[in-house]
Amino acid sequence: MSRTREDLVAVALRLLDAHGLADVSMRRVAGELDLQPSALYHHVASKQELLGAVADEVLRRGARPRGAVTWDERVVEVAHELRDAMLAYRDGAELVSTVIAFGLGATQPLEDLTAALGDSGLDESLVPTAARTVLHLVLGHTIEEQTHLQAGSAGAIDADPLPADFGTGLGFVVDGIRARVAEGSTAM
């Protein structure tokens, strides 16, 4: 039976959600597809490329219609969409963060944040830094949140919930960008 790249991604995504990122291996994906691991390399060059495709699929599945109009509303909308997409899958935040750090994919959130911030009036030279700052807040917060939830459900820690402060923290960052725009984005 012929398999496609989409088949590999679907199996890897299922393994991610069922067992976690550490258990997503080429051997395990091949076994689930009843193939030899070498057969996977017809579709992806490496495990890293497969993980990049899985991260892109997590983000694609997490996409939702957007309605925000102003730059700051768009930033908040993109940030919440990214967080929700990563929380939908076990180790989703670790996967997406790793793929972004290695430059293997998951580029859409940064592109969307950059586009939104490009309309903010912020000095053009500061837009990439502002976009990465928002991205890093979302990634870091979501990794901490997801790790805490998983450790609690496994009984490794007391399952007291973390404060629900993502929106507040994001607001602090957006307020800082707004302040920089108001002062002409020249202060360092």
Side-chain angles (χ1 to χ4, degrees):
M1 175 189 258
S2 180
R3 299 296 182 167
T4 66
R5 180 182 172 100
E6 290 75 25
D7 294 332
L8 274 64
V9 171
V11 168
L13 187 56
R14 191 174 71 242
L15 288 170
L16 172 75
D17 206 29
H19 304 286
L21 185 56
D23 285 345
V24 179
S25 68
M26 297 297 270
R27 182 176 305 282
R28 192 146 190 195
V29 170
E32 291 283 322
L33 292 168
D34 201 29
L35 298 171
Q36 292 296 315
S38 60
L40 301 183
Y41 295 99
H42 294 286
H43 303 286
V44 293
S46 64
K47 178 183 175 182
Q48 291 74 21
E49 184 179 318
L50 176 60
L51 293 178
V54 173
D56 286 337
E57 182 65 12
V58 164
L59 298 178
R60 188 193 67 73
R61 290 183 181 190
R64 54 188 181 218
R66 295 188 183 159
V69 177
T70 63
W71 73 266
D72 48 348
E73 292 171 340
R74 287 171 40 215
V75 166
V76 169
E77 191 173 56
V78 170
H80 280 280
E81 179 182 300
L82 173 58
R83 176 178 172 264
D84 292 346
M86 292 186 297
L87 286 174
Y89 295 92
R90 180 179 180 169
D91 292 342
E94 181 183 355
L95 168 71
V96 171
S97 180
T98 300
V99 166
I100 289 172
F102 289 177
L104 299 170
T107 60
Q108 195 63 53
L110 183 59
E111 291 169 8
D112 293 345
L113 290 168
T114 301
L117 288 160
D119 295 337
S120 69
L122 188 64
D123 182 285
E124 195 176 293
S125 67
L126 297 176
V127 167
T129 300
R132 283 191 313 275
T133 299
V134 173
L135 180 66
H136 294 156
L137 169 74
V138 178
L139 294 172
H141 191 283
T142 309
I143 285 172
E144 178 187 23
E145 185 177 5
Q146 196 162 51
T147 301
H148 183 84
L149 287 169
Q150 291 172 1
S153 69
I157 61 170
D158 291 333
D160 292 336
L162 292 174
D165 60 357
F166 175 73
T168 303
L170 179 59
F172 288 152
V173 173
V174 172
D175 287 348
I177 296 168
R178 252 192 234 105
R180 183 59 66 94
V181 169
E183 63 189 32
S185 68
T186 57
M188 297 307 253

